[in-house]
Amino acid sequence: MQDFFTDTAYLLSVDFVQSSLVACALLGVLSGVMTSLIVLRQMSFSVHATSELALMGAAAALLFGFNIGVGALAGAIVAAVVLALLGMKGQEDSAIGVVMSFGLGLSVLFLHLYPGNASTAMSLLTGHIVGVSEGSVGLLAVTTAIVVICVAIFWRPLLFASADPVMAHAAGVPLRAYNVGFAVLVGAAAAQSVQIVGVLLVMALLITPGAAAVNITSSPVRAVVWSTLFAEVAAVGGLVLSLAPGLPVSVFVTAISFAIYLVCRAISWARGRRMTRDEVAAQRQRDYAGSMRAATSPRPDSAAADSGDAYSSDGHCING
């Protein structure tokens, strides 16, 4: 254990590891801002498809010698727009499946034609944070700033369109424009996540933190805060834990995200059980109060006996 802390402290002093740490911190903010809205809009499958198209763009950039981050960003944004347009007629699942299979097929072709080191191509699937260049960190910073600003400016209509699209359409919110715009933001976030955790595990940062946050709060603003915190812990903590053993960072990112999700589910279950007990106790108290009122209230036959009148079974006086 002492060697673990010693090696980790040494590696954290290395320049490229510090750049990777900054990248993880930025990705935590980017993912945390987006994930609660993604969960609210039920876009988990769409995020996975977008990441597959980000892989296609990154693989094409790798093959033709371009920047991998730019290629992944271009592929993810194109995929997001195509998915948003094809899914307008209530055929989201089929459109996502078609686009994802097409993008995955092209990705396999580009990776097969790539003449360089196979580990570089493999890093697109599993992530390779320590290989992120300064240019990629700069692109990630710009992308994070743009996404955060856009979400902050359009927060209310985005939330309205996500929570109740029917009422939002009736209120005059341009759903098509917001759907396409949000899909572009999702594509940008997915493209940047590919370099950190890889295309296969991108949902660990874009889905799991939001899914955990909605279990402990019903406030949309608090959900964003909690999901950002969870994404930061998973991304930064995953990188720090992966340094000494030399394992892929995605292993620890997914493990931390899953552990946070289980804890939040346990908190939600405990709250629901306590609320159930409270409701049962309140119902028993109401029943007890009602029985006490019934026991202490005067009975009709007692009042009739006191007045000296006799009543028939249907309640009519029979004493004349």
Side-chain angles (χ1 to χ4, degrees):
M1 185 60 69
Q2 185 177 359
D3 293 339
F4 173 83
F5 289 111
T6 302
D7 294 342
T8 301
Y10 169 73
L11 289 172
L12 286 175
S13 64
V14 180
D15 292 339
F16 74 87
V17 176
Q18 293 177 355
S19 298
S20 301
L21 198 63
V22 173
C24 285
L26 289 172
L27 184 61
V29 175
L30 176 62
S31 304
V33 169
M34 295 296 296
T35 179
S36 58
L37 288 174
I38 291 173
V39 172
L40 181 61
R41 297 171 73 95
Q42 299 179 354
M43 291 180 61
S44 301
F45 191 30
S46 178
V47 168
H48 185 58
T50 303
S51 66
E52 300 286 357
L53 272 294
L55 172 64
M56 180 197 70
L62 186 66
L63 176 62
F64 296 107
F66 299 117
N67 183 279
I68 295 178
V70 175
L73 183 61
I77 290 178
V78 170
V81 173
V82 171
L83 289 175
L85 295 177
L86 292 181
M88 290 294 182
K89 302 298 184 180
Q91 299 179 356
E92 291 85 357
D93 289 343
S94 59
I96 291 172
V98 170
V99 175
M100 184 172 65
S101 61
F102 173 72
L104 192 57
L106 288 180
S107 301
V108 172
L109 174 63
F110 294 148
L111 292 178
H112 176 73
L113 295 177
Y114 176 64
N117 192 350
S119 62
T120 304
M122 186 65 183
S123 66
L124 296 177
L125 300 177
T126 60
H128 190 55
I129 180 60
V130 295
V132 176
S133 63
E134 293 184 0
S136 298
V137 174
L139 179 61
L140 175 58
V142 172
T143 304
T144 302
I146 293 175
V147 170
V148 170
I149 291 173
C150 290
V151 171
I153 293 175
F154 301 104
W155 170 254
R156 292 179 65 87
L158 267 177
L159 182 61
F160 191 17
S162 302
D164 195 342
V166 177
M167 288 297 297
H169 180 71
V173 176
L175 290 183
R176 179 183 293 270
Y178 277 104
N179 288 340
V180 174
F182 186 76
V184 171
L185 297 182
V186 170
Q192 298 306 315
S193 301
V194 165
Q195 297 185 81
I196 309 298
V197 295
V199 65
L200 297 179
L201 302 174
V202 70
M203 290 187 291
L205 287 178
L206 285 180
I207 301 298
T208 309
V214 297
N215 279 284
I216 60 175
T217 181
S218 58
S219 170
V221 176
R222 291 175 183 169
V224 171
V225 174
W226 278 112
S227 59
T228 302
L229 176 62
F230 295 157
E232 285 286 352
V233 171
V236 177
L239 173 63
V240 174
L241 292 177
S242 68
L243 292 176
L247 295 174
V249 64
S250 56
V251 175
F252 295 93
V253 171
T254 53
I256 294 174
S257 298
F258 185 64
I260 292 174
Y261 177 76
L262 291 181
V263 171
C264 292
R265 284 294 299 266
I267 293 174
S268 177
W269 175 80
R271 286 180 177 177
R273 186 176 182 184
R274 185 172 63 249
M275 290 177 61
T276 301
R277 289 200 305 264
D278 293 342
E279 291 176 357
V280 171
Q283 183 62 40
R284 289 177 178 175
Q285 187 175 5
R286 288 193 295 267
D287 294 342
Y288 177 75
S291 62
M292 290 298 294
R293 285 194 299 269
T296 56
S297 61
R299 298 179 179 177
D301 54 349
S302 300
D306 293 339
S307 64
D309 294 333
Y311 287 82
S312 64
S313 59
D314 58 357
H316 293 84
C317 181
I318 59 176
N319 278 352

